[in-house]
Amino acid sequence: MKLIFAIVNNDDSSIVTSKLTKNKFNVTKIASTGGFLSAGNTTFLCGVEDDRVNEVIEIIAKYSRKRVESVPTGFSNELIPMTVGVQQIVVGGATIFVINVERHERV
Ligand code: 2BA
């Protein structure tokens, strides 16, 4: 068995949830925050048998869109006043980790 952690944009969270549950996967959603952008995102936890891992990844990949975000960049020192620019970064589709599960109990 594997445990899949998938970090997904909040805007894609509902469709990813409905597609996973429709395909009979158990999921837990955790509200999370990206360290770099400090923006909210959603972390999915999904425990699955090994032979269904790719199915989960395909669903998440299909419904998680890539986005370009503009991030302000600032620079200043004692001689140069603050100069503000904008950097564009690509966020997503989804960041996925697959971890081996040693034991799973429902008691
Ligand atoms: P954030 O940390 O807010 O990162 C948002 C996007 O900013 C990233 O998109 C990446 O394009 C860029 N970025 C992140 N850290 C950077 C840095 N130190 N310097 C320059 N650019 C940086 P994604 O890679 O698609 O990541 C989306 C979200 O997934 C991240 O939000 C974070 O919450 C999570 N994530 C990504 N990689 C991770 C990892 N290795 N471990 C844990 N969480 C991760």
Side-chain angles (χ1 to χ4, degrees):
M1 187 177 203
K2 304 279 193 242
L3 179 61
I4 299 172
F5 284 83
I7 303 156
V8 171
N9 192 292
N10 277 346
D11 294 340
D12 299 325
S13 163
S14 298
I15 181 108
V16 169
T17 308
S18 74
K19 297 294 176 184
L20 287 173
T21 52
K22 195 175 154 198
N23 284 279
K24 309 267 187 282
F25 292 108
N26 286 311
V27 291
T28 296
K29 297 200 290 183
I30 299 173
S32 46
T33 306
F36 188 68
L37 293 179
S38 295
N41 51 31
T42 303
T43 300
F44 286 80
L45 262 63
C46 183
V48 286
E49 294 309 323
D50 291 20
D51 61 355
R52 297 199 75 195
V53 168
N54 286 341
E55 219 182 311
V56 172
I57 292 174
E58 278 163 22
I59 291 170
I60 295 170
K62 184 168 179 185
Y63 295 101
S64 299
R65 290 191 296 114
K66 278 190 170 48
R67 293 169 171 82
V68 177
E69 301 278 345
S70 297
V71 184
T73 53
F75 174 82
S76 70
N77 62 24
E78 61 279 1
L79 299 173
I80 303 169
M82 177 61 82
T83 315
V84 178
V86 174
Q87 181 193 354
Q88 304 233 301
I89 55 164
V90 177
V91 185
T95 299
I96 300 172
F97 300 92
V98 181
I99 289 158
N100 283 321
V101 174
E102 201 169 299
R103 181 169 163 172
H104 169 227
E105 302 278 356
R106 299 176 77 194
V107 294

